[in-house]
Amino acid sequence: MTFLLPDAADAESPLKPEELQVLRAQYDKEGDYVGVQTKFNYAWGLIKSSTRNEQQEGVRLLSDIFRNAPERRRECLYYLALGNYKLGNYAEARRYNDLLLDHEPANLQAGSLRGLIDDKVAKDGLMGVAILSGVAIAAGVVGGMLFKGARRR
């Protein structure tokens, strides 16, 4: 069975509140006997959210599906990667995405997501280097001033 997965950019457009409410109501209605499809749909809606707590809940629900429903693991891998990407958990996002690509090297969505993850990691890495460089320069300036002041005495 082949499932078409949306592009990573699709996750950036949240559902309308009333659309997410429909998914939440169905999830709540099923209670302790919530079906895998209902849980998956709700998790998908949460991942698309722009609210961090909802994204985290989506990742938690998907992790539960991943552990307990082997037939849904492929879909879960992509959305776990996407959810972790949106949360800034790039190592986790890469891990899930790479698992999917190991099984489906030609998966265009996972390939696209890999590029997004790599770009974000590189950008954040450069930002970290810039911050550390700034701190080092500031420490050098302060140290130089202190050293110069100590030599005058």
Side-chain angles (χ1 to χ4, degrees), residues 76-88:
C76 286
L77 284 173
Y78 179 75
Y79 285 105
L80 282 165
L82 199 54
N84 277 291
Y85 170 78
K86 287 184 72 173
L87 290 167

Side-chain angles (χ1 to χ4, degrees), residues 28-133:
D28 291 342
K29 179 181 168 188
E30 293 183 25
D32 291 338
Y33 302 102
V34 66
V36 173
Q37 185 63 50
T38 299
K39 186 185 279 190
F40 184 86
N41 291 346
Y42 183 44
W44 167 80
L46 292 169
I47 292 291
K48 289 178 63 74
S49 172
S50 54
T51 304
R52 185 172 179 81
N53 288 343
E54 289 180 344
Q55 293 168 357
Q56 289 170 328
E57 178 66 6
V59 167
R60 188 191 67 73
L61 291 172
L62 286 169
S63 295
D64 186 53
I65 295 169
F66 184 80
R67 281 189 305 276
N68 298 314
E71 71 279 4
R72 299 302 293 264
R73 285 188 178 149
R74 178 199 171 269
E75 290 172 282
C76 286
L77 284 173
Y78 179 75
Y79 285 105
L80 282 165
L82 199 54
N84 277 291
Y85 170 78
K86 287 184 72 173
L87 290 167
N89 302 331
Y90 304 123
E92 281 296 293
R94 179 178 278 146
R95 184 173 70 89
Y96 286 118
N97 201 55
D98 285 350
L99 282 171
L100 179 55
L101 285 169
D102 286 347
H103 294 289
E104 298 180 24
N107 186 305
L108 296 177
Q109 290 85 4
S112 170
L113 184 55
R114 173 187 268 169
L116 290 174
I117 294 167
D118 290 348
D119 289 349
K120 198 67 162 168
V121 167
K123 180 181 173 189
D124 286 359
L126 289 176
M127 185 67 85
V129 168
I131 290 169
L132 286 176
S133 297

